[in-house]
Amino acid sequence: MGLVVQKYGGTSVGSIDRIKAVADRVVRARDGGNRIVVVVSAMAGETNRLFKLASELSQSPNARETDVLVATGEQVSAALLAIRLQSMGHPTVSFLAFQMNLTTDSNHGRARIKSVQCDRVMRSLDDGKIVVVAGYQGVNPDGDITTLGRGASDLTAVALAAALKADACEIYTDVDGVYTADPNVCPKAKKLGRISYDEMLEMAGLGAKVLQTRSVELARRYNVPLVVRSSFSEVEGTWVGQEDQSMEDVLVSGVTLDQNQSKITVAGVEDRPGLAAKIFSPIADAGIVVDMIIQNASADGRTDMTFTIGREDL
Ligand code: ADP
Ligand code: ASP
Ligand code: MG
């Protein structure tokens, strides 16, 4: 019997009808003879709605409390899917991060996973249950709720697939695979049958949000076979895995666009060794990824330092 982790994104669980359709798909996969762990995102728009509520009460909402707030989106969809599956006669149990000891560091809003204990998940699977897991959330060593960064239900799914040594991690979304460019921006983009972890990592890091960057990194590290598929159709998806011979012939796999970048310029800094570290170390300590860095030619011993970060990190 195979073990498959399926992850359904926000649009895929965006309404009661969509949740019913997801439940049908989960049951079909199970009837196909697999043990199923389902990771769900919040219903489409819900996480943004929650962030907005917080911003209406405070200009800079406390990070710990924001995580308590925004983690609720996934709790709702996990419970709804479990309720639906049970009502169809399929024994199901839902788990939140604390029930699986999915521990993270304390970097609220972009916490990194330290470990996950799957014994309870395994026991439930052994008991013949379908397991539904709330994505995006973790707990820090103090037992406080953390979240793993936007789009990180993908990461929850890959982390579970790695820990459970699943046969595959299936990412169900609103497009039927990974395209050479965002098909919603560029309708002529072509679907890729396969893409290597390295190329996918590159595309995700540069803005192709179809897979969250760290989830691809983790999949590569643990060699988790990943497939991106549509939750709206039966169309064959895109496999993400180790590079093979045919991939080496392809020179350009895709083009990406990221509309959520901020550019910061620190003007007139002293041009001496060690200054870059002084600027970038605290940013790194806060877990913020800096992408492009440009330093001007110095004039009178001073220079401008320009760099880009994700807009939500601004
Ligand atoms: P989910 O809520 O299921 O996680 P996301 O919105 O995070 O879905 O990711 C799916 C979206 O990724 C698609 O709707 C598409 O607009 C976008 N996307 C960006 N680049 C690509 C690409 N190269 N191939 C496919 N989809 C892409
Ligand atoms: N709900 C979270 C978000 O909107 C996580 C996810 O969808 O993967 O970012
Ligand atoms: Mg996503």
Side-chain angles (χ1 to χ4, degrees):
M1 211 183 199
L3 198 167
V4 174
V5 175
Q6 297 191 331
K7 178 258 168 175
Y8 292 90
T11 329
S12 306
V13 294
S15 66
I16 289 300
D17 282 343
R18 290 301 313 153
I19 290 174
K20 287 179 182 170
V22 165
D24 292 344
R25 194 180 277 271
V26 170
V27 169
R28 278 202 301 281
R30 189 184 144 89
D31 288 347
N34 288 304
R35 294 194 288 173
I36 311 287
V37 176
V38 189
V39 176
V40 286
S41 290
M43 295 168 80
E46 178 64 5
T47 311
N48 286 346
R49 188 185 75 87
L50 294 167
F51 272 114
K52 187 160 170 289
L53 287 179
S55 73
E56 283 168 14
L57 294 169
S58 162
Q59 269 190 341
S60 55
N62 175 275
R64 178 187 182 278
E65 305 313 329
T66 301
D67 275 353
V68 173
L69 175 70
V70 297
T72 58
E74 273 69 12
Q75 177 163 347
V76 169
S77 33
L80 289 175
L81 180 60
I83 287 168
R84 174 65 182 175
L85 286 163
Q86 288 165 355
S87 79
M88 293 164 75
H90 299 279
T92 302
V93 59
S94 72
F95 289 125
L96 302 180
F98 81 92
Q99 291 161 314
M100 305 181 300
N101 278 324
L102 195 156
T103 49
T104 69
D105 60 24
S106 297
N107 226 330
H108 286 286
R110 61 173 75 83
R112 294 189 79 92
I113 298 176
K114 287 171 181 282
S115 63
V116 51
Q117 278 170 15
C118 286
D119 21 331
R120 221 175 142 190
V121 172
M122 268 302 185
R123 274 204 307 280
S124 301
L125 291 172
D126 290 344
D127 289 346
K129 292 184 178 141
I130 296 171
V131 173
V132 180
V133 171
Y136 182 51
Q137 53 175 256
V139 277
N140 73 7
D142 297 328
D144 290 338
I145 297 173
T146 56
T147 59
L148 311 173
R150 297 307 305 266
S153 293
D154 295 345
L155 182 63
T156 308
V158 172
L160 278 173
L164 292 162
K165 300 193 172 48
D167 296 293
C169 181
E170 303 174 344
I171 307 288
Y172 286 91
T173 183
D174 55 4
V175 286
D176 58 14
V178 179
Y179 280 70
T180 49
D182 185 339
N184 289 317
V185 174
C186 180
K188 282 187 184 161
K190 290 197 167 65
K191 195 169 97 185
L192 301 163
R194 281 181 63 81
I195 185 169
S196 70
Y197 291 126
D198 287 341
E199 284 169 323
M200 191 62 239
L201 194 53
E202 196 70 23
M203 282 178 74
L206 292 170
K209 68 165 184 166
V210 62
L211 282 175
Q212 191 247 15
T213 311
R214 274 160 54 206
S215 72
V216 184
E217 224 177 311
L218 200 70
R220 180 178 65 174
R221 185 168 341 142
Y222 291 96
N223 218 346
V224 175
L226 262 185
V227 62
V228 177
R229 298 187 60 183
S230 167
S231 66
F232 295 80
S233 77
E234 294 299 326
V235 177
E236 185 70 17
T238 301
W239 281 94
V240 188
Q242 300 289 354
E243 184 155 311
D244 64 26
Q245 191 69 40
S246 63
M247 292 175 184
E248 284 175 21
D249 300 338
V250 182
L251 291 181
V252 178
S253 296
V255 176
T256 60
L257 167 74
D258 186 348
Q259 310 205 66
N260 272 311
Q261 289 281 304
S262 303
K263 186 178 83 173
I264 297 174
T265 298
V266 189
V269 293
E270 257 182 273
D271 190 8
R272 58 173 170 78
L275 229 128
K278 211 166 185 173
I279 293 173
F280 292 116
S281 299
I283 297 175
D285 291 344
I288 293 170
V289 176
V290 173
D291 187 9
M292 278 171 267
I293 304 176
I294 298 167
Q295 188 182 333
N296 282 356
S298 70
D300 303 325
R302 295 200 168 260
T303 185
D304 296 341
M305 190 82 86
T306 298
F307 56 94
T308 60
I309 58 174
R311 191 174 294 164
E312 71 274 18
D313 289 329
L314 185 56

